[in-house]
Each structure stands twice: as C-alpha cells, then as structure tokens.
Amino acid sequence: MIRDMRVEDYDCITELMNLLHKLHVDARPDMYMDVDSVYDRNTFLEMLSDKDVISIAYEEKGVVIGICFASVKYKSGMVDMKTAYIDAVVVREEYRNNGIAKKLMNEVEK
C-alpha cells in the first residue's frame, strides 16, 4: 500500500536513505562522502510538512519497504508548469524487481 510518510517512519526512512546514499558513495566517491545520516530528524519533519515535497512510502504488512521523495516546482524553465523532480526513490533489496519503485513513481505522477 502506498501512503504518505509519517513522523514515526523516521528511523525506517533513515535506514533506506542511508542504503541509497551508500550506493552513491560507493559508485561516485568523487561526488559523495560518507555521512551519519542523510536527513536529520528536523529536516525530515520539515519535508513532511512542506506542501511542495511529495514524501510517500510503500508499506507491506506494517513494514516500509520503499520510499520516494519528490520536489514540486511550479515553473519548468520559463514556462508555468507543475513539475515533480525525483529526489530519491529506494526499495529494500529483498523486495526489488517487483514493481514497487514503478508504483511509487506512478503515484508521484498523479
């Protein structure tokens, strides 16, 4: 089930974001550096309350197994047009190749 992220998801979201960030660090150490946490709790809370940030989670049996963050902009170049920019999408490794990321992306498109 896809739902909006909640405050109580912080630890789980942090775990997933740290997994994604590690992939970035391993692949491009020239561009990314190790950090303890991608988002601190205050940043996460700000993102949840920001109407221009889409913060959704894919949950199965009470466990968050995939997430997506997207930033909404109301100008694309010089044209007035609502556009979502994907900031992060990640699915737990053991659940990959089941269409979860695609479902998250489709939800962002709505």
Side-chain angles (χ1 to χ4, degrees):
M1 153 183 92
I2 295 177
R3 62 167 176 78
D4 290 335
M5 289 181 193
R6 300 185 291 244
V7 173
E8 57 268 22
D9 294 327
Y10 176 72
D11 290 337
C12 186
I13 303 306
T14 296
E15 177 188 352
L16 287 167
M17 286 303 297
N18 287 345
L19 289 171
L20 178 61
H21 187 71
K22 183 176 178 353
L23 290 173
H24 291 152
V25 171
D26 291 347
R28 292 299 307 263
D30 58 316
M31 294 183 66
Y32 295 91
M33 58 186 239
D34 271 328
V35 294
D36 291 332
S37 182
V38 177
Y39 299 128
D40 63 33
R41 189 172 189 81
N42 287 336
T43 301
F44 178 70
L45 295 175
E46 287 173 12
M47 292 169 70
L48 292 187
S49 64
D50 188 335
K51 69 174 183 57
D52 293 327
V53 175
I54 299 169
S55 307
I56 55 176
Y58 188 96
E59 181 181 41
E60 212 171 79
K61 298 179 183 173
V63 177
V64 174
I65 59 175
I67 59 171
C68 182
F69 286 105
S71 301
V72 177
K73 307 292 182 197
Y74 296 92
K75 277 195 180 270
S76 180
M78 298 181 78
V79 178
D80 289 337
M81 179 173 62
K82 185 177 178 182
T83 306
Y85 294 87
I86 303 302
D87 297 313
V89 61
V90 61
V91 175
R92 290 184 187 280
E93 190 168 358
E94 61 270 25
Y95 292 93
R96 292 182 188 160
N97 299 312
N98 289 305
I100 294 169
K102 185 174 186 165
K103 289 175 185 175
L104 289 164
M105 297 297 289
N106 287 339
E107 185 68 21
V108 168
E109 286 182 2
K110 291 180 184 178

